[in-house]
């Protein structure tokens, strides 16, 4: 299975999502994460520690792809329309992360408009970095997206310091010794299962 994580906006949890999708998929078979972000975010992240799956530069895709059952692709922010077209056509599922703020939602809508223009249908929207209650920004964003009949996932990812600490330590969030970190992993697990259903 090939899963691509894409967004027209940076800072929405794209690399974090790609890493945790790859972690989930690695539990289901051999997985590789292709780091296509021009900043090489995931490559730098894993260099500080280790992941239970390999991370390679996207330019090595042709060399390594046949060796793995699942491929997860972390893309650069703001892909061109042509890039987005090829990414959408070349994957089984595209996950579009967005934070619940207006600027990120506008960028996500731009991404979806391009996907509709090119006829792509295999995508799901994941709301990330959701502030804790009593803030309702995540729920309100989800309701608004559903109002436009967009394929937004029910499960959302909370804004947790544990994600940044995991990046700092070069590990995935479930490897952190923190109850909230395990909550973050459970949220990703549930969201991925929903996206794959």
């Amino acid at each position: 299975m090939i899963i691509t994580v894409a967004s027209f906006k940076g800072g929405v949890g794209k690399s974090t999502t790609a890493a945790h999708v790859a972690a989930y998929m690695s539990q289901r078979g051999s997985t590789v994460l292709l780091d296509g972000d021009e900043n090489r975010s995931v490559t730098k992240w894993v260099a500080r520690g280790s992941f239970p799956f390999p991370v390679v530069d996207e330019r090595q895709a042709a060399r390594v792809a046949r060796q793995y059952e699942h491929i997860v692709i972390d893309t650069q922010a703001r892909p061109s329309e042509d890039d987005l077209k090829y990414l959408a056509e070349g994957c089984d599922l595209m996950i579009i992360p967005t934070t619940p703020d207006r600027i990120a939602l506008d960028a996500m809508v731009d991404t979806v408009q391009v996907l509709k223009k090119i006829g792509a249908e295999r995508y799901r929207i994941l709301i990330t970095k959701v502030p804790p209650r009593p803030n309702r920004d995540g729920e309100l964003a989800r309701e608004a997206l559903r109002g436009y009949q967009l394929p937004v996932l029910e499960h959302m990812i909370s804004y947790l310091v544990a994600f940044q600490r995991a990046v700092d330590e070069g590990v995935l969030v479930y490897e952190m010794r923190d109850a909230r970190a395990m909550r973050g992993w459970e949220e990703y697990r549930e969201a991925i299962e929903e996206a794959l259903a």
Side-chain angles (χ1 to χ4, degrees), residues 103-119:
I103 293 173
L105 290 170
D106 287 345
M108 186 275 311
V109 168
D110 291 343
T111 307
V112 168
Q113 286 175 343
V114 172
L115 290 172
K116 285 184 176 183
K117 180 179 175 185
I118 62 178

Side-chain angles (χ1 to χ4, degrees), residues 3-190:
I3 301 174
T4 299
V5 182
S7 174
F8 274 2
K9 185 176 185 309
V12 294
K14 192 169 48 61
S15 295
T16 300
T17 297
H20 289 90
V21 168
Y24 177 86
M25 297 306 290
S26 73
Q27 295 173 355
R28 299 174 61 161
S30 64
T31 301
V32 64
L33 174 58
L34 299 180
D35 189 351
D37 182 349
E38 60 189 15
N39 296 321
R40 300 292 176 244
S41 301
V42 180
T43 302
K44 292 173 185 172
W45 177 358
V46 74
R48 290 188 284 275
S50 67
F51 287 177
F53 50 85
V55 176
V56 298
D57 186 298
E58 68 173 342
R59 294 168 289 194
Q60 298 171 313
R63 185 174 60 82
V64 301
R66 282 179 248 139
Q67 301 171 35
Y68 297 95
E69 186 177 356
H70 305 297
I71 300 169
V72 179
I73 304 169
D74 180 27
T75 63
Q76 66 180 2
R78 195 69 183 170
S80 70
E81 185 173 320
D82 281 345
D83 287 343
L84 199 57
K85 180 178 191 289
Y86 289 120
L87 288 167
E89 289 174 352
C91 71
D92 299 297
L93 174 66
M94 183 175 286
I95 297 176
I96 305 169
T98 183
T99 52
D101 61 276
R102 185 77 249 169
I103 293 173
L105 290 170
D106 287 345
M108 186 275 311
V109 168
D110 291 343
T111 307
V112 168
Q113 286 175 343
V114 172
L115 290 172
K116 285 184 176 183
K117 180 179 175 185
I118 62 178
E121 297 179 354
R122 296 181 312 265
Y123 66 92
R124 299 291 176 269
I125 299 164
L126 174 64
I127 301 173
T128 61
K129 299 185 178 182
V130 175
R133 292 182 186 269
N135 186 301
R136 295 192 62 235
D137 287 355
E139 294 165 14
L140 294 172
R142 184 177 56 204
E143 289 169 19
L145 295 173
R146 283 187 177 155
Y148 290 106
Q149 274 103 49
L150 295 177
V152 62
L153 296 171
E154 173 71 22
H155 292 92
M156 299 182 286
I157 310 303
S158 298
Y159 180 82
L160 299 172
V161 174
F163 286 117
Q164 184 55 53
R165 289 188 180 148
V167 171
D168 293 344
E169 294 187 25
V171 298
L172 297 159
V173 77
Y174 62 74
E175 296 176 278
M176 301 296 296
R177 292 187 182 138
D178 179 336
R180 287 175 293 240
M182 285 310 294
R183 182 175 128 215
W185 171 243
E186 281 302 306
E187 289 176 350
Y188 264 114
R189 189 185 58 74
E190 290 169 349

